[in-house]
């Protein structure tokens, strides 16, 4: 995959990357690729979360809605710990409302919209949105799934963290 065919990031908050840049993201992408079995993307029924028990705490599943938003169907435990809130059932537009200009919601919406519009995996790297988490780098993966058809019906996603290296811009 080339990052050159991805839309420009809506702000300096994240960067699309051509390939997964975290071992957990690589693991999820390899699993998703295996489940494609010659198709553009696997169906949700092809995905068994028990197969991903080693990275399950970092997983999320969202559904694109007709209004362009996304409904969060699964928001796992590590994600809840990272964000400080359980988001299962929420719309992406409802998250991060206290951040300046709703930057968190815009960021995650843009990354997922790229996966839906391309019908292909999207990988992104972003810094933390808050000063108290300034030392973290987030590695996102969004993998499209059909849901009983041929169109993108869900996104299998994950978020992993690494620490910002000393001297790296914050």
């Amino acid at each position: 995959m080339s990052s050159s065919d991805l839309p420009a990031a809506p702000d300096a908050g994240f960067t699309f990357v051509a390939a997964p840049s975290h071992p957990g993201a690589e693991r999820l992408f390899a699993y998703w690729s295996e489940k494609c079995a010659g198709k553009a993307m696997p169906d949700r029924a092809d995905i068994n979360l028990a197969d991903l028990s080693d990275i399950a705490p970092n997983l999320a599943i969202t559904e694109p809605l007709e209004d362009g938003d996304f409904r969060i169907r699964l928001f796992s435990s590590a994600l809840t710990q990272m964000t400080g809130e359980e988001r299962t059932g929420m719309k992406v537009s409802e998250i991060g409302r206290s951040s300046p200009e709703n930057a968190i919601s815009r960021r995650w919406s843009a990354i997922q919209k790229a996966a839906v519009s391309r019908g292909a995996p999207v990988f992104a790297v972003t810094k933390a949105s808050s000063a108290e988490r300034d030392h973290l780098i987030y590695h996102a993966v969004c993998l499209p799934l059909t849901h009983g058809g041929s169109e993108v019906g869900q996104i299998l996603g994950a978020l992993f963290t690494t620490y910002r290296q000393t001297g790296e811009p914050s």
Side-chain angles (χ1 to χ4, degrees), residues 7 79 97 99 114 151-153 162:
L79 302 180
R97 288 187 172 173
S99 70
E151 300 294 316
V152 176
T162 55

Side-chain angles (χ1 to χ4, degrees), residues 48-163:
N48 182 349
L49 297 181
D51 293 340
L52 300 167
S53 61
D54 56 323
I55 57 172
N58 296 77
L59 299 179
I61 296 176
T62 60
E63 284 180 352
L65 302 174
E66 287 187 22
D67 65 2
D69 205 347
F70 294 84
R71 171 82 57 204
I72 301 167
R73 294 292 178 198
L74 171 70
F75 199 74
S76 295
S77 59
L79 302 180
T80 299
Q81 186 176 19
M82 279 183 223
T83 62
E85 68 180 348
E86 167 56 58
R87 294 179 176 170
T88 299
M90 293 176 71
K91 289 182 176 183
V92 169
S93 63
E94 297 171 338
I95 63 175
R97 288 187 172 173
S98 62
S99 70
E101 301 172 5
N102 210 14
I104 296 170
S105 173
R106 287 186 305 110
R107 177 184 305 159
W108 296 116
S109 181
I111 293 168
Q112 291 182 84
K113 284 179 180 179
V116 170
S117 69
R118 297 177 75 244
V122 172
F123 310 102
V125 177
T126 181
K127 62 182 181 174
S129 300
S130 63
E132 59 270 3
R133 294 187 178 128
D134 187 36
H135 59 288
L136 295 176
I137 302 294
Y138 293 108
H139 303 265
V141 55
C142 288
L143 306 169
L145 303 170
T146 58
H147 200 237
S150 59
E151 300 294 316
V152 176
Q154 292 187 326
I155 300 288
L156 173 61
L159 191 64
F160 302 95
T161 59
T162 55
Y163 292 103

